């Protein structure tokens, strides 16, 4: 799942993931609020473990709900969602405070700077 308010970044990252052929389904959201609602709805399904994303690429700087607010809401999801979804912060932020703050969240497995590269996708171990 890609969560980024920049549609061009989402499109580029989606194409990179498709080119790496590592998944069949890619969900994209241009807002963290819609993404968290989507996850809440998915976790209610009997097939939640099959439809929830394995990896969530999350931007930090977004309007309405930023990446850290998304992480706070994500913490409130069921254990099914929290165990299944690994979060990768994918951001253009080079602020060390953002990096350090992201470490406080158990589900954040990696912090990458944009843009997503083929190498970072195929080497992804989360």
């Amino acid at each position: 799942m890609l969560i980024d308010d920049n549609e061009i970044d989402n499109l580029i990252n989606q194409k990179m993931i498709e080119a790496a052929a590592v998944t069949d389904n890619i969900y994209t959201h241009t807002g963290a609020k819609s993404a968290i609602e989507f996850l809440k709805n998915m976790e209610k399904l009997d097939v939640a473990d099959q439809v929830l994303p394995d990896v969530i690429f999350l931007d930090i700087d977004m309007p309405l709900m930023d990446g850290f607010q998304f992480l706070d809401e994500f913490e409130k999801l069921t254990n099914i969602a929290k165990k299944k979804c690994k979060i990768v912060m994918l951001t253009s932020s080079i602020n060390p405070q953002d990096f350090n703050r992201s470490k406080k969240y158990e589900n954040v497995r990696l912090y990458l700077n944009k843009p997503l590269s083929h190498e970072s996708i195929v080497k992804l171990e989360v």
Side-chain angles (χ1 to χ4, degrees), residues 39-92:
L39 292 172
K40 285 178 182 176
N41 290 328
M42 290 294 106
E43 71 180 356
K44 291 176 189 169
L45 300 174
D46 292 338
V47 290
D49 58 330
Q50 295 165 31
V51 294
L52 283 165
D54 293 316
V55 179
I56 298 172
F57 292 98
L58 177 63
D59 186 28
I60 293 175
D61 190 23
M62 296 181 283
L64 301 177
M65 178 186 277
D66 68 20
F68 292 113
Q69 290 168 311
F70 172 90
L71 290 171
D72 291 337
E73 290 301 309
F74 185 85
E75 294 289 320
K76 299 174 187 173
L77 296 178
T78 64
N79 282 336
I80 294 169
K82 289 191 283 190
K83 284 181 181 161
K84 171 91 169 153
C85 307
K86 314 305 185 261
I87 299 175
V88 175
M89 303 303 285
L90 182 62
T91 181
S92 51

Side-chain angles (χ1 to χ4, degrees), residues 57 87-90 99 102 107-112 120 123-126:
F57 292 98
I87 299 175
V88 175
M89 303 303 285
L90 182 62
F99 175 72
S102 74
N107 288 79
V108 175
R109 301 296 167 88
L110 199 56
Y111 190 98
L112 293 175
S120 64
K123 284 186 173 179
L124 197 63
E125 291 181 22
V126 290

Side-chain angles (χ1 to χ4, degrees), residues 114-126:
K114 290 179 185 177
L116 200 52
S117 69
H118 180 78
E119 188 177 319
S120 64
I121 295 167
V122 294
K123 284 186 173 179
L124 197 63
E125 291 181 22
V126 290

